[in-house]
Amino acid sequence: MTERLPPGPRGLENVRFVLETTRDFMKPLCRMASEYGEVASTHARGRHIVAISGSEAARQVLISNQDNYDKGIEYELLRIVLGDGLLTSEGELWRRQRRLVQPMFAKRHLKHFTGHMTAATADALEGRPFGPLVDGETQDQNRAMRELTLDVVGRALFGADLTGETAARVGPAMDNVLRLGTRMARRLPTYAASMLPGMNLRRAIALNPESRRFQRSLQDLHRVIEEVLLERRALEDAGEDLLGLLLSARDEETGEAMSAKQVGDELMTFMLAGHETTSNALSW
């Protein structure tokens, strides 16, 4: 039986669509939705892509039948960066981590995190980036917001201030990982290489000339997390920040704690989610 798919770009129009997505993924998808409707389809990387923009179709995918869908190939780059944290994991691992992590965001813990957020914000407001500007002077507010959210994440995650030497390592490393990773993943040669037999996105990215810089920055982030974990594990009290809660968490069904790798993956996930996306929202 012939597979029935929603309408969408075909032939040369689809080739143009694929080429455009290597530069900007959102614009061609938005255009496809406006031209072909709330449920549209195309073909790329050897697979069918169905783009959902309508509320009812989105509810079907995200709520009513969510078990029918996995996170897909778009999460390959995130898995390279974050490992198997809550954002990228699936199936039983995701369910186990959800059980362990969800209680950490109960109201009694959020009150503790709020103290870190307000303290970091108060310190930032006293700093230069948020002060008055003289005639002709400009300030990079996105950079200022990244520094603020990194400070908040550092205090909430580690109970530590990440505005000193550690921030000098974490901030640029995280920016490099996100910028270089996204750029390499969208390049046409990377796209073509990832379609070859025996290849995947991780191997295709390794062929890029910027791959070494990307890997060095990723290693810097992992080293920071490893250092923090070693220091915390040496203490008798795990603490009340997110790191302490991750180390103290026990699965209700098995009584098992998270492995060191899993704690590291969750820290990377929280560090990225609480830093990059939040700073962008504050900047806008």
Side-chain angles (χ1 to χ4, degrees), residues 29 73 78 85 90 123 143 157 164 166 177 184 189 207 243-244 264:
L29 280 177
I73 199 169
L78 285 174
E90 297 184 275
D123 289 346
R143 179 178 179 180
L157 277 180
T166 305
V177 163
M184 290 189 297
L207 300 176
L243 173 55

Side-chain angles (χ1 to χ4, degrees), residues 238-280:
E240 296 184 7
D241 51 28
L242 266 173
L243 173 55
L245 296 175
L246 287 169
L247 291 172
S248 301
R250 297 294 183 272
D251 191 306
E252 292 182 357
E253 297 182 4
T254 65
E256 294 179 354
M258 294 186 206
S259 66
K261 179 187 180 303
Q262 194 64 50
V263 172
D265 288 350
E266 298 300 352
L267 286 177
M268 281 287 287
T269 299
F270 287 134
M271 195 159 63
L272 176 70
H275 171 55
E276 173 74 7
T277 55
T278 309
S279 66
N280 286 339

Side-chain angles (χ1 to χ4, degrees), residues 54-195:
S55 59
E56 288 305 313
R59 176 180 293 275
Q60 172 108 357
V61 172
L62 298 176
I63 299 175
S64 304
N65 293 292
Q66 58 177 299
D67 291 339
N68 291 346
Y69 307 94
D70 58 32
K71 293 180 178 177
I73 199 169
E74 283 73 21
Y75 280 74
E76 280 188 60
L77 177 60
L78 285 174
R79 286 191 182 94
I80 294 172
V81 175
L82 303 177
D84 292 314
L86 268 175
L87 183 61
T88 55
S89 60
E90 297 184 275
E92 184 53 40
L93 175 60
W94 179 85
R95 283 187 284 272
R96 176 179 182 272
Q97 289 305 110
R98 175 68 183 267
R99 287 197 305 269
L100 286 168
V101 171
Q102 187 169 352
M104 300 176 193
F105 293 92
K107 187 175 181 179
R108 66 182 185 278
H109 296 310
L110 290 179
K111 290 174 64 177
H112 180 72
F113 301 151
T114 301
H116 289 309
M117 296 173 190
T118 53
T121 303
D123 289 346
L125 289 173
E126 295 177 0
R128 182 68 188 90
F130 296 95
L133 302 178
V134 300
D135 290 343
E137 184 182 10
T138 61
Q139 292 285 353
D140 185 344
Q141 289 301 310
N142 187 239
R143 179 178 179 180
M145 292 302 178
R146 288 201 306 269
E147 291 174 354
L148 169 59
T149 55
L150 181 60
D151 189 13
V152 170
V153 166
R155 298 185 194 211
L157 277 180
F158 311 123
D161 188 346
L162 289 189
T163 57
E165 180 183 347
T166 305
R169 296 165 58 194
V170 171
M174 188 171 294
D175 289 342
N176 277 339
V177 163
L178 292 171
R179 180 171 50 82
L180 294 175
T182 302
R183 190 162 69 199
M184 290 189 297
R186 286 180 176 172
R187 281 179 177 160
L188 187 58
T190 307
Y191 165 79
S194 67
M195 295 180 64

Side-chain angles (χ1 to χ4, degrees), residues 188-204:
L188 187 58
T190 307
Y191 165 79
S194 67
M195 295 180 64
L196 296 174
M199 290 289 286
N200 55 31
L201 185 60
R202 184 186 296 270
R203 292 179 179 178

